[in-house]
Amino acid sequence: MPEIKEYVDIVGQSVIDELYIFARHLQGKTIQNINSTPVGGGVAEILTRMVPLLRQLEIDARWDVIKGNERFFSITKSMHNALHGAAENISADDLEYFTQVNRENAAEINFVGDIVFVHDPQPIILIERKQELGKKWIWRCHIDFTEPDPNVMSFLKNYIEQYDAAVFSAPSFSRKLAIPQVLISPSIDPLSDKNRELTDHEIETVLNRFNLDRSRPIVTQISRFDYLKDPVGVIQVFKLIKRYADCQLVLAGGGATDDPEGAKVLEEVNAAAADDPDIHVIFLPPSSDIEINALQRASAVVMQKSLKEGFGLTVAEALWKGRPVIASAVGGIPLQITHKYSGILTYSIEGTAYYLKQLLNDPEYAEKLGANGREHIRNNFLITRHIRDYLMLFISLYHDEDMIYLG
Ligand code: UDP
């Protein structure tokens, strides 16, 4: 883990000084994060970096993960899809089981935090312990809440409103709630293995391992194999442009322990890619940070053709590397990309294909988009800004009467 002073070169001394000033107000407080997976997906990615950095600021930050079995995670995945607007069949029995597993976790977890910071719907019912334990409770929603299924939403709302505050990633996700809502976007860590500078040799080694040819442009999407990331849509785009541009497509990603759908999606992707040796489907184990970093850096264009997206850390990661990104205009992605300035926003397979062809044929324009994107990420979506927002939120919980609204 880098030392916090190493971030000065990237964000400036005043940003780091400010973190220490805020952190002083939280000395002696324990911040207990709770989510549903230690690896895979954006939440785990952020906590892995955030928790040690908070500790360097002398805040007692901790991280617990709830336990669940296959049935529990299949229910939570359906809830996740339903909150993203998909039609899902979630029975009263499923909700009962979801509640029961939460209660088992609630009985087992040692709630040491002065602030209990619960991430996403999976552990949301832990809030039932609030009445007995007191403490400050925050619910942090990382998902795209623009059109949530009304039934799942009304079930969750009962619990959300017991928290002291709710945090959303984008303004469009906020809902009518009886508690304060705060906008805090996620972030990437520029000094992690996923995002740090790599040598040419490191990049070359990864490309060779995956049999990629550096002399032809590489188009990449890095994502868990999930329908909402639309990997088959990316293959359709690639097939449309291939006769106009000689290039290779990389679809790389793994799974998450709280996502049971991955294997099925991967099978469909493999079937769609089978007839083209220029489509490389790469299954990545956890801790493939250098591989992801190298693939992003080696790409002529990075895609993120999500159908729904909480924020899309992969977009920030690619932009930070100065890569031109073409991404769907969904969820938190438009916060990161201003169309035709810091990347390209698209709405369809055909539109995505049109811009992919354009960027592959005009590398100078593509580079300019990437350079603008990098500055936008530096100013808005690095982990130092994220820590600052969280510290302000934590402090504000102890000043209910003048709650600070961020964003
Ligand atoms: N990621 C990873 N391995 C994979 C796929 C994704 O480490 O196989 C990382 C990716 O680089 C990013 C995060 O997981 O940091 C995904 O976050 P994002 O917000 O893009 O999507 P989510 O998976 O949370 O829906």
Side-chain angles (χ1 to χ4, degrees):
M1 200 63 207
E3 280 187 45
I4 202 136
K5 63 174 191 280
E6 292 174 55
Y7 292 81
V8 169
D9 288 347
I10 298 169
V11 296
Q13 184 69 46
S14 61
V15 170
I16 304 304
D17 289 346
E18 200 178 38
L19 295 185
Y20 277 103
I21 292 167
F22 285 138
R24 243 184 272 142
H25 294 273
L26 292 158
Q27 296 303 299
K29 297 267 186 277
T30 298
I31 315 290
Q32 184 173 17
N33 292 278
I34 305 179
N35 82 323
S36 62
T37 179
V39 284
V43 182
E45 177 79 19
I46 292 166
L47 288 175
T48 304
R49 308 301 298 178
M50 175 76 74
V51 168
L53 287 172
L54 286 172
R55 295 179 81 98
Q56 281 190 40
L57 292 167
E58 290 174 27
I59 291 174
D60 181 18
R62 304 186 185 201
W63 177 10
D64 287 298
V65 177
I66 56 162
K67 291 186 193 141
N69 58 14
E70 211 180 314
R71 177 167 183 211
F72 177 74
F73 287 125
S74 130
I75 295 168
T76 58
K77 184 68 205 258
S78 293
M79 288 171 82
H80 181 88
N81 290 341
L83 288 167
H84 277 128
E88 292 278 340
N89 231 338
I90 303 169
S91 65
D93 203 40
D94 288 338
L95 293 179
E96 181 54 42
Y97 188 73
F98 172 75
T99 307
Q100 182 195 319
V101 173
N102 262 270
R103 287 184 181 149
E104 284 161 18
N105 277 285
E108 212 173 289
I109 291 173
N110 184 9
F111 288 93
V112 290
D114 297 289
I115 296 175
V116 184
F117 200 1
V118 173
H119 297 261
D120 280 343
Q122 297 93 332
I124 197 166
I125 296 180
L126 299 180
I127 189 67
E128 286 186 337
R129 300 272 325 257
K130 181 183 175 194
Q131 240 186 355
E132 156 211 353
L133 297 172
K135 307 175 179 295
K136 305 286 184 188
W137 293 68
I138 306 172
W139 186 62
R140 206 287 181 234
C141 177
H142 293 265
I143 57 191
D144 182 338
F145 245 40
T146 32
E147 297 165 296
D149 173 282
N151 294 330
V152 178
M153 188 61 208
S154 88
F155 172 80
L156 292 179
K157 201 167 173 229
N158 288 331
Y159 297 104
I160 298 172
E161 291 187 333
Q162 295 177 43
Y163 283 80
D164 294 294
V167 182
F168 293 95
S169 294
S172 56
F173 301 164
S174 80
R175 313 249 52 96
K176 215 166 177 313
L177 294 172
I179 56 168
Q181 297 178 54
V182 180
L183 166 66
I184 299 180
S185 298
S187 63
I188 59 163
D189 184 343
L191 297 180
S192 65
D193 277 345
K194 172 125 345 127
N195 297 309
R196 70 170 169 81
E197 298 289 331
L198 294 181
T199 62
D200 256 6
H201 176 70
E202 283 174 304
I203 297 174
E204 203 73 40
T205 308
V206 172
L207 296 189
N208 289 342
R209 223 178 90 205
F210 295 135
N211 291 322
L212 293 165
D213 165 12
R214 214 174 180 184
S215 68
R216 290 189 301 143
I218 298 171
V219 177
T220 301
Q221 176 162 300
I222 308 278
S223 274
R224 289 178 297 103
F225 288 97
D226 182 324
Y227 291 112
L228 293 176
K229 308 290 183 184
D230 200 16
V232 173
V234 177
I235 293 177
Q236 286 168 333
V237 168
F238 182 74
K239 288 185 172 170
L240 282 178
I241 63 105
K242 220 193 141 190
R243 60 197 150 103
Y244 305 105
D246 180 21
C247 57
Q248 309 154 84
L249 175 65
V250 173
L251 287 165
T257 51
D258 62 350
D259 177 6
E261 271 178 352
K264 193 152 165 278
V265 177
L266 179 59
E267 219 173 89
E268 287 174 27
V269 170
N270 276 325
D275 57 354
D276 188 341
D278 278 331
I279 303 178
H280 300 257
V281 180
I282 301 173
F283 187 78
L284 296 171
S287 328
S288 297
D289 290 354
I290 306 261
E291 287 78 359
I292 290 173
N293 190 342
L295 288 171
Q296 287 167 331
R297 285 182 191 279
S299 298
V301 176
V302 172
M303 314 268 299
Q304 192 57 54
K305 220 205 125 324
S306 304
L307 304 174
K308 294 278 176 178
E309 192 59 79
F311 179 70
L313 285 179
T314 49
V315 171
E317 288 161 7
L319 291 175
W320 176 245
K321 293 165 184 107
R323 298 293 76 219
V325 176
I326 302 178
S328 308
V330 296
I333 291 176
L335 296 176
Q336 305 183 61
I337 293 182
T338 301
H339 186 50
K340 296 190 182 173
Y341 176 75
S342 52
I344 297 290
L345 292 175
T346 60
Y347 299 84
S348 65
I349 303 259
E350 292 71 22
T352 309
Y354 170 85
Y355 282 111
L356 179 57
K357 194 170 107 194
Q358 186 189 24
L359 295 196
L360 288 171
N361 288 328
D362 190 349
E364 217 172 290
Y365 174 52
E367 286 302 316
K368 183 78 193 138
L369 294 177
N372 291 342
R374 177 171 164 92
E375 284 321 296
H376 184 60
I377 299 302
R378 186 198 305 277
N379 294 328
N380 298 286
F381 300 115
L382 296 184
I383 195 161
T384 41
R385 187 275 311 152
H386 198 174
I387 293 174
R388 172 182 175 276
D389 286 356
Y390 276 169
L391 295 180
M392 284 177 73
L393 171 62
F394 300 152
I395 294 168
S396 74
L397 293 176
Y398 294 95
H399 297 83
D400 290 359
E401 67 288 354
D402 47 21
M403 179 89 187
I404 302 166
Y405 289 83
L406 307 170

